């Protein structure tokens, strides 16, 4: 009787989350054994569980990293008891789904081995009907350390690969990088659940369109549907915003996986645009599939845009740029790395805050770099919403890879899982095979260092081609047709001339090559997908990991507290072998190197921001030769001295403020070429505009020797010279040139030019003063400078948030009104705020 009743009722798939009641225990490994199982969080990671149970100290504090390596060298087991719901047990198909297992995992259900996983980036789904019973069931996941497996696999190969981590499909940065610690994590790092269904299940929906300018717009909705039997399936498509049905039909399905294509139409289609160029219109489609009383439903969000990667021979070499909806777009952005070494603790608030900072700095592109992870859905949703285009690398970086069948199959499955998951996001504009593998192979001397024979080299390169010219583009073509695929970033190593006339380039002459910042003005690629310079994180962040001795006494007459650095700890939070030395070396070229540590931190940030600034402006001015600038790197995965502009806590370093100004859609920049000073204006908008340009040459105390005011007409999406003046470096040493672009009395952009490095300027006391008032949207800070102030730095300790601007220069007599994003009132802010400039760091 019960059976008949169930069969008559419509049956929908059911999910039961299995995230409660987990424990973890150490199975074997080294010295620091943990006795007995302890509670575990799922999704999570072993390091966080040990931390949560008070069994280890904070992995990011001090030099703890060195003492905690045993965790990644041990085996661990997660276990949980669970009771499947009656709705689950009644279904004909019951699957256990792990959206992510990190990494070598054996999964046991009631002591039967049901799954062996070996790829952190794949979703694992396995049938468990027959093994699951009513009442308590036991699930156990045993993780083996990747290091041992890497060694075994390396020993089985007749030649070495540059780094053994190549054998494991796990986020490469977790084995350590030149900005990240070595924490070889393991665990159930993404959701886990039972998924039970009768008759059919929708696996994937992809929305495709061949053009963007028809109305109604013809859509092809592709759906992968798994069917338990041969049957006729009724399909209905709804537009979620209007609730209206947009298509319906029937399809004959075979037992197994079926792909159907449903033609549909979209009335009055509106386009998705990158930030600043238009709105970010998103649509939602709901697909319902039903057969024999069973049904399933899938919801997809998508946007309508046409993106082309234009690579055409031109007078210079070959172009490399993105055209969106027919408009060439200059890409302004950065390289993104994972936000933590322990990924499960990056919550929604952190993603939102990060993307807010990205959009707030006038960016329109992020490159998800190939040494990290394929991001979660939230990340791409936020990029869609903010109009941030995504350059998506596959997760391969700075290494060569094996080419055996198991490895290739694993890579292919990983690519299918991720491309099909991400493909509907209009923000994703390019898939790229890897980071610096081609460059490494051709320029980093591996063949020689690793003693490859010609046969070894041929084999390794053929394996490369198999993955990056074979498997990955095929998957993109199948699951995200129409989106560009680029085998490797960069296309050519930065030491070769070709790097600057075609393709994308990672220009590392500044930093790695120790070339001066000025070289940014000469090494301009067609699309500069990496370049960068390090700066220290804010002092508060350094304090968070114990990098300074905060108990030190204040120095009489000193500005603020005098903090004593702890070199050993600072060095452990600086992962580049020559990082500390290079920062100092470059600082000596431009600035008086401060004695006080607090000042050193501040100047290191200014150095980074102003140095990289040369690249930001140069790249933009070089439009259309150059059509993209993505600096290294947006963010950090722990508190560290690195190339980032946002630190681990999301705090804005000087760099991020400079980026915000340099990426303004309309900006000006003064440049000095030989004895000609020119102001160049760049307008990213597709419309032209009129503005007022004010320029003056003045002494640091404000006395002007030249002032000019004129109306300028800015070309649409153009670069042009709007002012020029003869000015010889040696006669202008005690002068500064400042220009401002104004529209309706509001400043759109400004530019300051000096005729000597800062260390040679005779900086006056700016006599900065400020006032804080309660404004309608929070406190308002009014800062005033009596004389020139270089790099005015507003600092608040103990309050999270950023200012509307910071780390800026002020001419004599200038007044600036600023706001603060944190949720505080004027009196709290006034209590915490200190303001200084470079003058205050001079002895
Ligand atoms: C780039 C990146 C990373 C690295 C950075 C700084 O090439 O791809 O490999 O962290 O350089 O050295």
């Amino acid at each position: 009787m019960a059976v008949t009743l169930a069969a008559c009722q419509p049956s929908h798939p059911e999910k039961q989350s299995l995230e409660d009641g987990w424990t973890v225990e150490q199975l074997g490994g080294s010295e620091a054994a943990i006795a007995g199982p302890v509670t575990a969080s799922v999704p999570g990671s072993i390091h966080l569980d040990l931390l949560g149970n008070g069994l280890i100290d904070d992995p990011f504090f001090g030099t703890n990293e060195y003492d905690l390596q045993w965790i990644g060298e041990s085996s661990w087991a997660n276990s949980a008891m669970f009771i499947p719901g009656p709705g689950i047990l009644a279904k004909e198909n019951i699957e256990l789904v792990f959206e992510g297992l990190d990494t070598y995992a054996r999964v046991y259900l009631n002591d039967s081995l049901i799954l062996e996983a070996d790829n952190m980036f794949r979703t694992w789904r396995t049938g468990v009907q027959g093994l699951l019973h009513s009442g308590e069931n036991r699930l156990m996941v045993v993780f083996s350390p990747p290091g041992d497996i890497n060694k075994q696999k390396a020993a089985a190969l007749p030649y070495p690969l540059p780094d053994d981590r190549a054998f494991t499909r796990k986020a490469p940065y977790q084995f350590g990088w030149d900005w990240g610690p070595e924490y070889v994590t393991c665990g159930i790092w993404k959701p886990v659940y039972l998924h039970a269904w009768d008759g059919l299940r929708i696996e994937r929906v992809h929305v495709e369109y061949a053009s963007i300018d028809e109305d109604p717009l013809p859509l092809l909705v592709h759906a992968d549907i798994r069917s338990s039997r041969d049957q006729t399936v009724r399909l209905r498509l709804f537009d979620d915003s209007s609730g209206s049905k947009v298509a319906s039909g029937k399809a004959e399905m075979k037992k197994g996986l079926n792909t159907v294509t449903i033609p549909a139409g979209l009335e009055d289609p509106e386009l998705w645009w990158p930030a600043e160029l238009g709105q970010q219109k998103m649509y939602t489609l709901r697909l319902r599939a039903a057969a024999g009383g069973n049904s399933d439903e899938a919801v997809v969000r998508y946007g309508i845009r046409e993106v082309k990667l234009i690579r055409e021979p031109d007078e210079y070499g070959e172009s490399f740029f993105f055209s969106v909806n027919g408009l060439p777009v200059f890409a302004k952005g950065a390289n993104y790395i994972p936000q933590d070494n322990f990924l499960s603790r990056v919550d929604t608030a952190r993603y939102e805050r990060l993307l807010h900072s990205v959009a707030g700095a006038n960016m329109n592109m992020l490159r998800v770099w190939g040494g990290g992870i394929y991001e979660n859905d939230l990340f791409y949703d936020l990029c869609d919403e903010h109009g941030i285009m995504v350059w998506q690398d596959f997760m391969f970086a700075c290494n060569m890879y094996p080419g055996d069948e198991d490895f290739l199959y694993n890579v292919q499955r990983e690519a299918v899982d991720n491309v099909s998951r991400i493909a509907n996001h209009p923000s994703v504009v390019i898939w790229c095979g890897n980071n610096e593998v081609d460059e490494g192979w051709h320029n980093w001397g591996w063949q020689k260092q690793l003693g490859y024979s010609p046969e070894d080299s041929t084999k390794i390169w053929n394996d490369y081609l198999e993955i990056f010219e074979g498997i990955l583009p095929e998957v993109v073509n199948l699951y995200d047709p129409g989106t560009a695929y680029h085998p490797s970033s960069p296309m050519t190593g930065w030491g070769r001339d070709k790097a600057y006339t075609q393709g994308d380039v990672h220009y590392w002459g500044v930093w790695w090559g120790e070339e001066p910042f000025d070289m940014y003005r000469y090494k301009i690629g067609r699309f500069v997908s990496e370049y960068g310079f390090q700066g220290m994180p804010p002092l508060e962040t350094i304090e968070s990991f114990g990098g300074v001795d905060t108990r030190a006494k204040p120095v009489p007459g000193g500005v603020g507290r005098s903090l004593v650095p702890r070199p050993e700890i600072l060095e452990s939070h600086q992962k580049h072998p020559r990082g500390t030395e290079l920062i100092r070396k470059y600082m000596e070229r431009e600035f008086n190197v401060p004695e006080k540590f607090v000042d050193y931190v501040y100047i290191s940030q200014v150095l980074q921001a102003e140095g990289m600034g040369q690249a930001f402006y140069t790249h933009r001015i070089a439009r259309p030769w150059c059509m993209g600038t993505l600096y290294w790197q947006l963010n950090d995965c722990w508190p560290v001295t690195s190339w980032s502009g946002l630190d681990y806590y999301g705090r804005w370093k000087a760099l991020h403020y400079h980026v915000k100004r340099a990426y303004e859609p309309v900006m000006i920049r003064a440049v000095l070429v030989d004895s000609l000073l020119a102001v160049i204006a760049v307008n990213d908008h597709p419309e032209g505009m009129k503005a007022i340009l004010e320029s003056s040459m003045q002494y640091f105390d404000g006395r002007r020797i030249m002032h000019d005011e004129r109306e300028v007409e800015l070309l649409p999406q153009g670069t042009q010279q709007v002012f020029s003046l003869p000015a010889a470096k040696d006669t202008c040493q005690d002068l500064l040139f400042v220009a401002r672009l104004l529209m309706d009395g509001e400043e759109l952009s400004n530019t300051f030019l000096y005729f000597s490095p800062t260390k040679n300027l005779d900086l006056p006391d700016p006599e900065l003063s400020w006032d804080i008032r309660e404004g309608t949207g929070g406190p308002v800070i009014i800062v005033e400078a009596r004389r020139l102030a270089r790099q005015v730095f507003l600092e608040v300790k103990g309050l999270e948030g950023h200012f509307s601007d910071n780390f800026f220069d002020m001419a004599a007599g200038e007044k600036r009104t600023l706001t603060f994003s944190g949720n505080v009132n004027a009196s709290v802010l006034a209590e915490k705020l200190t303001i200084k400039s470079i003058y205050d760091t001079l002895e």
Side-chain angles (χ1 to χ4, degrees):
M1 185 64 176
V3 172
T4 329
L5 255 184
C8 298
Q9 277 169 9
S11 164
H12 309 293
E14 242 181 72
K15 280 188 184 175
Q16 179 178 342
S17 165
L18 299 181
E19 292 176 4
D20 294 333
W22 286 89
T23 60
V24 67
E25 68 186 303
Q26 190 176 16
L27 292 188
S30 55
E31 79 277 8
I34 300 293
V38 295
T39 55
S41 296
V42 168
S45 85
I46 177 61
H47 292 78
L48 292 183
D49 290 333
L50 296 177
L51 182 66
N53 283 288
L55 295 167
I56 57 168
D57 291 333
D58 180 356
F60 290 171
F61 191 83
T63 55
N64 289 347
E65 179 194 354
Y66 309 139
D67 302 326
L68 295 177
Q69 290 307 310
W70 60 273
I71 304 170
E73 291 159 6
S74 305
S75 295
W76 299 90
N78 276 123
S79 310
M81 303 297 290
F82 67 96
I83 299 174
I88 296 274
L89 287 171
K91 300 266 191 283
E92 66 175 319
N93 303 289
I94 311 173
E95 292 165 336
L96 174 62
V97 183
F98 289 95
E99 287 192 359
L101 284 168
D102 173 17
T103 290
Y104 293 109
R106 273 165 297 143
V107 180
Y108 298 86
L109 177 61
N110 299 324
D111 298 327
S112 304
L113 177 65
I114 54 165
L115 170 69
E116 284 185 273
D118 59 357
N119 188 330
M120 175 184 182
F121 304 122
R122 285 173 62 184
T123 297
W124 302 93
R125 179 181 279 273
T126 183
V128 291
Q129 59 275 47
L131 287 170
L132 204 63
H133 50 70
S134 57
E136 291 223 306
N137 288 260
R138 179 177 147 87
L139 194 55
M140 181 165 77
V141 187
V142 178
F143 293 96
S144 308
D148 296 349
I149 297 170
N150 286 343
K151 273 192 213 118
Q152 286 161 22
K153 291 190 176 171
L157 209 65
Y159 45 78
L161 293 175
D163 191 300
D164 285 352
R165 71 185 78 183
F167 295 100
T168 295
R169 296 307 301 145
K170 172 173 174 62
Y173 81 105
Q174 296 179 337
F175 296 92
W177 212 267
D178 60 4
W179 35 259
E182 178 175 354
Y183 277 121
V184 182
T185 53
C186 70
I188 303 167
W189 74 292
K190 288 192 166 188
V192 50
Y193 49 88
L194 290 170
H195 193 183
W197 48 282
D198 286 325
L200 56 89
R201 178 169 66 76
I202 303 173
E203 280 198 1
R204 175 190 75 110
V205 179
H206 179 62
V207 182
E208 201 189 341
Y209 39 87
S211 74
I212 54 164
D213 35 34
E214 285 170 70
D215 186 5
L217 186 75
L219 301 178
L220 292 177
V221 181
H222 307 288
D224 288 348
I225 297 177
R226 194 164 289 278
S227 176
S228 316
R229 59 190 75 92
D230 293 358
Q231 56 186 340
T232 307
V233 176
R234 187 166 144 72
L235 299 160
R236 280 174 301 164
L237 268 180
F238 300 88
D239 176 320
D240 240 24
S241 45
S242 62
S244 58
K245 190 165 23 150
V246 289
S248 65
K250 282 185 180 157
E252 293 306 321
M253 300 213 174
K254 297 264 171 241
K255 182 174 178 201
L257 192 64
N258 301 264
T259 299
V260 287
T261 296
I262 310 152
L266 179 68
E267 305 262 353
D268 303 323
E270 289 174 55
L271 299 178
W272 181 94
W273 286 93
E276 289 163 8
L277 296 175
Q279 57 172 1
Q280 285 73 49
K281 176 72 186 172
M282 294 295 293
Y283 291 96
T284 308
L285 263 186
R286 185 176 294 267
L287 171 65
R288 267 187 214 143
N294 305 313
S295 69
D296 193 8
E297 192 170 271
V299 176
V300 279
R301 275 170 54 79
Y302 69 100
I304 304 288
R305 90 286 185 267
E306 180 189 68
V307 181
K308 289 187 177 148
L309 173 60
I310 310 287
R311 290 179 54 182
E312 281 165 3
D314 58 19
E315 53 188 307
Y316 319 116
E318 192 184 89
S319 68
F320 191 105
F321 70 90
F322 294 92
S323 140
V324 183
N325 305 329
L327 198 70
V329 178
F330 188 99
K332 297 179 290 188
N335 286 270
Y336 167 85
I337 63 166
Q339 291 172 62
D340 208 308
N341 277 84
F342 311 115
L343 293 160
S344 58
R345 69 176 168 186
V346 188
D347 58 13
T348 302
R350 278 171 74 181
Y351 276 100
E352 283 175 347
R353 180 167 178 201
L354 185 97
L355 264 298
H356 211 257
S357 290
V358 166
N362 299 308
M363 297 190 189
N364 64 14
M365 183 179 271
L366 288 179
R367 170 170 173 242
V368 178
W369 167 76
I373 57 166
Y374 304 92
E375 264 302 338
N376 64 14
D377 297 341
L378 174 64
F379 175 87
Y380 301 102
D381 283 340
L382 290 169
C383 289
D384 290 342
E385 264 168 45
H386 287 288
I388 306 299
M389 296 179 283
V390 176
W391 170 311
Q392 179 68 49
D393 281 1
F394 285 92
M395 295 304 128
F396 300 86
C398 308
N399 213 339
M400 299 309 291
Y401 290 87
D404 58 90
E405 250 177 58
D406 286 352
F407 187 83
L408 297 181
Y409 174 75
N410 205 0
V411 165
Q412 196 256 357
R413 296 317 307 164
E414 162 189 330
V416 171
D417 280 359
N418 288 287
V419 177
S420 63
R421 177 172 65 85
I422 296 169
N424 285 311
H425 291 276
S427 54
V428 177
V429 296
I430 181 171
W431 289 93
C432 174
N434 65 68
N435 174 71
E436 297 182 353
V437 176
D438 184 308
E439 162 160 14
W441 181 252
H442 291 106
N443 300 294
W444 295 355
W446 285 331
Q447 282 96 321
K448 222 172 168 188
Q449 275 164 34
L450 300 169
Y452 294 149
S453 67
E455 294 74 38
D456 294 340
S457 288
T458 309
K459 167 80 174 84
I460 295 169
W461 187 246
N462 283 340
D463 290 344
Y464 172 93
L465 294 177
E466 179 73 30
I467 296 176
F468 301 107
E469 304 267 4
I471 294 171
L472 299 181
E474 272 162 29
V475 171
V476 171
N477 198 29
L478 269 175
Y479 291 91
D480 193 7
T483 298
Y485 175 81
H486 181 49
S488 187
S489 177
M491 244 169 82
T492 313
W494 60 268
R496 297 170 195 262
D497 291 346
K498 217 169 87 179
Y500 306 94
T501 58
Q502 61 178 69
D504 69 318
V505 58
H506 296 183
Y507 170 61
W508 281 104
V510 170
W511 186 265
W512 281 96
E514 294 188 36
E515 291 172 358
F517 288 122
D518 255 11
M519 285 307 278
Y520 282 136
R521 290 166 55 180
Y522 306 99
K523 300 281 186 173
I524 312 170
R526 309 305 304 267
F527 192 106
V528 193
S529 40
E530 273 188 26
Y531 59 93
F533 193 87
Q534 286 196 350
M536 298 177 83
L539 202 61
E540 233 177 325
T541 300
I542 296 176
E543 285 175 4
S544 80
F545 63 76
V548 280
D549 191 343
T550 45
R551 289 161 309 169
K553 292 205 178 71
V555 168
V559 178
R561 283 174 302 159
S562 166
L563 301 172
V564 180
R566 298 160 117 179
E568 194 202 347
I569 294 178
L570 287 171
E571 275 311 297
S572 72
H573 289 249
Q574 159 61 277
K575 295 297 185 188
H576 188 270
R578 288 183 295 128
T580 306
E581 176 197 328
L582 283 176
I583 293 173
R584 180 167 278 268
K585 220 171 179 172
Y586 275 82
M587 199 185 289
E588 280 165 359
R589 294 181 193 162
E590 311 283 336
F591 297 93
N592 291 299
V593 178
E595 290 275 316
K596 268 192 237 133
F597 182 69
V598 275
D599 292 339
Y600 191 88
V601 172
Y602 156 62
I603 296 292
S604 88
Q605 289 197 20
V606 171
L607 173 74
Q608 175 190 31
E610 292 199 332
M612 286 170 65
Q614 297 220 31
F616 304 146
Y617 293 101
T618 305
H619 295 162
R620 290 195 63 194
I621 288 171
R623 171 183 192 145
W625 164 283
C626 176
M627 283 299 282
T629 186
L630 307 177
Y631 64 87
W632 186 267
Q633 68 203 65
L634 178 74
N635 60 320
D636 283 328
C637 65
W638 77 317
V640 64
T641 294
S642 81
W643 297 262
S644 75
L646 297 173
D647 81 359
Y648 172 69
Y649 299 102
R651 295 176 182 141
W652 289 33
K653 290 159 74 170
L655 175 63
H656 207 74
Y657 289 102
H658 278 247
V659 168
K660 179 180 187 229
R661 293 196 293 268
Y663 285 0
E664 281 290 350
V666 178
M667 69 80 176
I668 51 168
R669 175 78 162 176
V671 291
L672 187 65
V673 181
D674 300 325
S675 291
L676 188 75
L677 187 160
V679 178
I680 316 287
V682 176
N683 174 20
D684 279 347
H685 295 299
E687 305 86 33
M689 58 194 281
K690 282 188 182 144
I692 302 292
L693 181 76
E694 278 181 14
S695 311
S696 71
M697 189 76 101
Q698 53 184 261
Y699 289 101
F700 299 166
D701 64 6
R703 278 171 298 139
R704 286 171 174 174
I705 61 164
M706 185 285 295
H707 183 75
D708 180 274
E709 196 175 312
R710 62 181 68 187
E711 191 181 67
V712 290
E713 202 167 335
L714 305 181
L715 303 169
Q717 293 206 305
T719 295
Q720 74 208 92
Q721 182 173 311
V722 285
F723 181 80
S724 72
L725 179 79
K729 237 183 189 170
D730 42 349
T731 56
C732 296
Q733 293 292 310
D734 41 7
L735 293 172
L736 90 108
F737 173 82
V738 53
R740 302 176 194 282
L741 190 71
L742 306 162
M743 200 187 218
D744 303 327
E746 226 180 89
E747 190 179 293
L748 299 179
S749 177
N750 67 38
T751 180
F752 284 65
L753 186 133
Y754 305 90
F755 299 86
S756 261
T758 305
K759 66 176 180 186
N760 297 338
L761 300 178
D762 190 12
L763 290 177
D765 180 352
E767 292 187 35
L768 289 170
S769 58
W770 59 93
D771 186 27
I772 303 183
R773 292 183 201 148
E774 211 60 77
T776 42
V780 171
I781 309 108
I782 299 146
V783 188
E784 206 167 340
R786 191 121 184 239
R787 298 178 201 88
L788 166 70
R790 285 273 288 122
Q791 292 300 289
V792 175
F793 171 31
L794 288 79
E795 187 179 23
V796 275
K797 288 191 128 193
L799 297 179
E800 290 306 335
H802 58 265
F803 293 93
S804 50
D805 202 357
N806 207 346
F807 294 93
F808 46 81
D809 286 1
M810 294 178 81
E814 191 177 336
K815 222 186 211 185
R816 268 180 177 264
T817 304
L818 306 158
T819 54
F820 181 66
S821 72
N823 192 15
V824 284
N825 62 31
S827 62
V828 174
L829 190 66
E831 209 177 285
K832 305 265 182 189
L833 182 70
T834 54
I835 302 188
K836 70 176 177 189
S837 72
I838 292 185
Y839 175 80
D840 298 302
T841 69
L842 303 174
E843 296 301 314

